[in-house]
Every structure is written in structure tokens, then in C-alpha cells.
Amino acid sequence: MIITSEDARDRKRKKQVSGTYYLILLKKGGNMFSILRSMWLVFLHAFNKRDTIQYPEEKVKLSTRWRGRIVLTRDPDMGERCVGCYLCAAACPVDCISLQSTEDENGRRYPEFFRINFSRCIFCGFCEEACPTYAIQLIPDFEMAEYNRQNLVYEKKDLLIDGEGKYPGYNYYKVAGMAIGGKGKGEAINESEPVDIKSLLP
Amino acid sequence: MEESSTNYFLIIGGVLFVMLNVAAGLIWLERRMLALWQDRYGPNRAGPFGLFIVLADTLKLFFKEDWIPPFADKAVFVIAPAIVVVTVLLGFVVIPFAPGIMVADLNIGVLFFLAMSSMGAYSIILGGWASNNKYALLGAMRGAAQMISYEVFMGLALMGTVLLAGSFNLKDIVEAQRGLWFVVPQFIGFVIFFIAGVAETHRLPFDIPEAESELIAGFHSEYSGMKFGMFFIGEYLGITLISCMVVALYFGGWLGPAFLPPLAWFALKVFVFLSLFILLRASLPRPRYDQLMEYGWKILLPLTLLNLLVTAGIVLWMNE
């Protein structure tokens, strides 16, 4: 007897069909045990410690990098760090920062007003990244809820803190090479004397 | 005569009061138990252990706007949620809670229960249809698909206990378990009946008609206020009813060691099954409705018939 390939295929198919029902049964049986197993595993969670932080009583521990409330910091001499360069306002994707820069009698720039509308702010941290003087910083404080939307507009007196924030010891005007009242050219930290461009001597 | 009729109304009132409160309390129990199994706390602020959440939920349901969509079939839309509550409450009529605490000592108790619980499917289908909303209709359609996949073996599954007890009367069935609970000889029947019960109350994992992730809320998408609340309470009542039935049919009803009153044993056993319902919800994913149909028709129905055949054979052989 010659077994053609068609016969063989036919027989194979028949075998498969009769096997399918048992396969389904087996698969379902296996599924049932996995179902019981997952129910048991979920039940065991009853004896686990609960992950919930009971928030108002128990505070959340956030890392210092956490992007929460925005503050304006001061340098070690308690002067304002912000020099009113508008970079934060320019970097802000939702245009929630508005400020006006001005100068004091020593030639130090500072913002005349500085306003952040926190009802628009998305806490992206771009302002902090754009800031050349470490003045504007996002701190791990998120408890800013208000009943009145207008109260979310923070003026400079609400933003300015009496500290240096995340970058202690940094003083922009001490390292910047510009002359202001009380500090001439070349007197900044790590700054060399200015070159006399009118002299031919080395 | 006068005294017995007062007694009768006392029992009806008592059952109504207790069951509606149990259903409301299940809101709290479910949220606490789910939280326990998900490593959370659940409601724990309002009152002791967050128990007042039940009160808050009830008040909220009562004061929400009860809106009927202008495009809905008004009469059916209003009747649909009532059907589920009414039929499930009627199902409690035949449950023997304890000796003497039973609303109607029906000789066809099991059949009455089956009839009443099947009627609950109407509320889903009518509710979904009357909403005149495609998602609701899809939910209703899934509900119908689910109904024809579990109803076939639901009744057959508990015929094993009927055979063993020789009666359709639930009180007799409980009494017949004095020596041995039917869960031992009828283990397959118990498992299948429980699966059918979960599908019957359309609880997770068989909450196919109201899959909130795919169908918004399924058949009750358009419902609000107390009409939604009736579906909500109806579901919890349904769980309680199925738990009561499982206890009465397979776990010896009120029977138990004498140090607790019969009613306490019944309540304790029912509580275990209510927790099991919630555990199921916490652990299992939802199947597709074609999977449920395949499972029902190809696996559970043959298994049920086999169980019935073997049980009947054994009963015959024992009686010889």
C-alpha cells in the first residue's frame, strides 16, 4: 500500500481535530488552577503591610528634586538672586511668569515685580533650568490648594524666601565679571585683572 | 391565626430590613476588603472604620439628579431598575435563614429561586435597550449573551442537591444536610453553581454587561440618581441572595455546632461567601463574552450533566 502525502495529511488533520477538544479541556483545567492560584495570592495580600500614606497626618517624603511650589531665593548676603533677565518667562511654556526688571543705585538688577500665576503653572521646571543665577527654584511643596482662584497668583512677596534654596553659597554678583557698586572689574572670584587694551606691554 | 399573621409580617419586615441594610453595608465591606487585598486602607475617615461612608453614599444617591434622557423609552427605562430589586427581594422569600425564620415555606423553593433570579436578566436587557444608547445596548447584548451561557447549567447544577435531599423545599434540603454538608458529595455541583451565581449577579469577573473600561458603564450608562442606585443595590442584593443560596444548598444552612444560634451560623457562612465574591473581584480579569459562552456550553454544561447523571445513578443504587 502506498501512503500518499495527502493521506498522511488527512490522518494528521483527523488526529488534530480529535485532540483539540481534549486540548481545550486541558487548557481550561490549567487555567482553573491558575485562577485558584491568583485568588490565593491575592488573598495573601491581606497579611501584607499597607502602602497607604495617611496623608494629612503623615507627610509624604519627597526628594529635593521634586518639582513643586516655585520660590525666588536669595544669595548668602540676603540680596535677591534674580537679575530680571526674563529667561524664565521666555522659557515658560504656559506663560505664567511675568516680571519687570529694574536697577538699584549700585547697578544691580532686580525685578520690580515678579508674578507667577500658579493656576496656569504646569510645574515643568523649565524656568528653573533657564535661570542663570539659581534664583528661581522649584521646591518639594505641593500644598498650595486655594478656594479662590485669584489667590493662586503669587506676587514677589509670596515668592521670595529668606534662604538660598538648593544651591547654598552661590552669589551671582560675586562671580560675574561686571562692575557694580562696591565691586570693580576683575574683583570677582576666579576673575583675572582686566587687560589694558590701550597698552603695548605684555 | 391573628398571632401567626403578625409573626408573618414581622418576618417579612425583618428580612426586608436586614437584607436592604446588608446590601448597603456591602458597599462599605467591599471597599474595605478590596483595599485590604490591594494593600490599601479603603474608607477609614468618615466615622469608625469609615462606616459612615454607607450613609454618605446613600445620601449622595438620593440627592443626585434623577434624569431620564429625552430619547429613552420612559416607561421601560423607569421599570428596568425596579425589576432587579423586586425579583431579587422576591428570591429571598424562599431562603430558610433559621428554623422558623422563613417567609414562605414553598415546596418548589428551588424552582421559585431559579425563576426569580432569571427574571433579573430582564432588568439588564430592558434597561440597556430603553436607554437608546449604543453602549448601553451593547451592554444589554452582552448581558443576553451571558444569560444564555450560564442559565443553561445553573438550574441543572443544583439538581444534584435536590436529588440527594429528595425535595425542592429549601428547608428540607438544609435538614437533609444534618449528617454531611452537600458540598462534599456535590463538590462539582457547588463549584458550578457558584460560577453560575457569579455570572447571575454579573459580578466580576463576569461583569461583562457593565464593563466600565470598554462600555463606559454598559447597560446603565444613562442611569443616574436612585435609578442607578437600584441597579447598584440590586447587585449587592443579588450577591447576598446567591451567597444565601450556596449556604442553604451546599453548606448546611443554619446547621452548626450548638454554641452559636442557628441564625448566627447562617450569617457567618453567608459572610464567608460574600467575602469570596469580593476576593473574586479583587483577583480575576474579565473574560470576553464569547469565552464565557464557550466555557459555559463546552465545559460547564457537559460537566453539569455528567455530575447529574452520576449523582442520579448513585442515588438509585443507594435506594436499591
Side-chain angles (χ1 to χ4, degrees), chain B residues 35-201:
Chain B
L36 179 69
W37 286 315
Q38 292 167 351
D39 300 343
R40 300 183 286 115
Y41 282 97
N44 64 347
R45 297 282 157 160
F49 301 103
L51 263 167
F52 290 171
I53 205 92
V54 177
L55 209 66
D57 270 342
T58 319
L59 277 175
K60 184 188 77 181
L61 277 174
F62 271 113
F63 284 104
K64 278 208 169 181
E65 187 186 358
D66 206 348
W67 187 67
I68 300 174
F71 46 81
D73 186 328
K74 284 195 185 56
V76 184
F77 189 85
V78 173
I79 288 168
I83 290 176
V84 68
V85 176
V86 168
T87 55
V88 172
L89 280 177
L90 277 174
F92 281 110
V93 160
V94 293
I95 304 286
F97 296 98
I101 305 182
M102 184 180 190
V103 177
D105 193 359
L106 277 184
N107 277 335
I108 49 153
V110 174
L111 291 183
F112 184 81
F113 157 77
L114 284 174
M116 281 304 138
S117 66
S118 307
M119 291 270 282
Y122 277 104
S123 85
I124 295 178
I125 293 165
L126 289 180
W129 176 79
S131 297
N132 199 4
N133 166 326
K134 287 188 180 59
Y135 288 106
L137 186 65
L138 275 172
M141 195 196 69
R142 288 176 172 211
Q146 180 166 329
M147 184 187 70
I148 61 168
S149 51
Y150 70 79
E151 286 278 312
V152 279
F153 58 82
M154 187 182 191
L156 286 173
L158 48 78
M159 283 309 131
T161 55
V162 173
L163 275 173
L164 287 179
S167 168
F168 274 109
N169 189 327
L170 276 162
K171 210 165 85 181
D172 296 348
I173 291 177
V174 172
E175 283 296 338
Q177 298 177 65
R178 225 168 245 292
L180 180 68
W181 290 359
F182 283 158
V183 67
V184 181
Q186 279 296 309
F187 186 72
I188 298 171
F190 154 65
V191 170
I192 294 173
F193 179 73
F194 187 71
I195 293 173
V198 176
E200 157 70 36
T201 53

